[in-house]
Amino acid sequence: MSRFKAFGTHLVLSVAVLSAMLLVFVAWWFPMPYFVTEGGWRALRIIACVDMVVGPLLTLIVFNPKKSRRMLAFDMSVIGLVQICAMCWGLFTIYQERTVAVVFADGSFYTVGAN
């Protein structure tokens, strides 16, 4: 497997995970009116930038087909762990900011975050 094929594979897997996160965002955390108004797109863009840059770029930098299979497995597992930790941290932060209530006061609607 070449360096660019490994990069492409990692990028496709990252896009699949990002699509699953989009489903969670729209279905449970930020239903559609709040996804646009409460910053669901901003949150998703931040996670996407980190997720799409950290994993595939590190794979492109570190992957070397001349390495042993054991070293490649170790390198890819460390990169995957770093990417998963970054994604979980971002998801946890956004989970704390999700909209839990809409309040009508003083002639306006206000949203209340989970925290």
Side-chain angles (χ1 to χ4, degrees):
M1 180 181 281
S2 72
R3 180 182 301 239
F4 293 106
K5 189 173 181 182
F7 169 77
T9 303
H10 199 141
L11 189 63
V12 167
L13 289 173
S14 295
V15 168
V17 170
L18 186 67
S19 300
M21 284 191 311
L22 178 64
L23 179 67
V24 169
F25 272 32
V26 174
W28 291 291
W29 292 353
F30 292 97
M32 199 32 140
Y34 309 117
F35 187 74
V36 176
T37 60
E38 290 299 311
W41 277 117
R42 280 184 289 142
L44 188 66
R45 279 193 314 234
I46 290 170
I47 289 179
C49 288
V50 170
D51 194 36
M52 295 297 153
V53 170
V54 168
L57 189 62
L58 283 175
T59 299
L60 185 64
I61 293 169
V62 171
F63 191 87
N64 185 357
K66 295 177 184 173
K67 287 183 181 180
S68 69
R69 190 173 202 76
R70 184 171 176 256
M71 285 301 295
L72 281 175
F74 176 76
D75 289 346
M76 293 299 108
S77 62
V78 168
I79 290 171
L81 183 65
V82 167
Q83 189 176 10
I84 288 170
C85 288
M87 183 184 61
C88 287
W89 177 58
L91 286 175
F92 177 72
T93 303
I94 292 167
Y95 179 75
Q96 291 178 334
E97 297 297 323
R98 73 193 187 286
T99 303
V100 293
V102 178
V103 178
F104 183 75
D106 299 326
S108 297
F109 287 100
Y110 298 98
T111 58
V112 178
N115 63 355

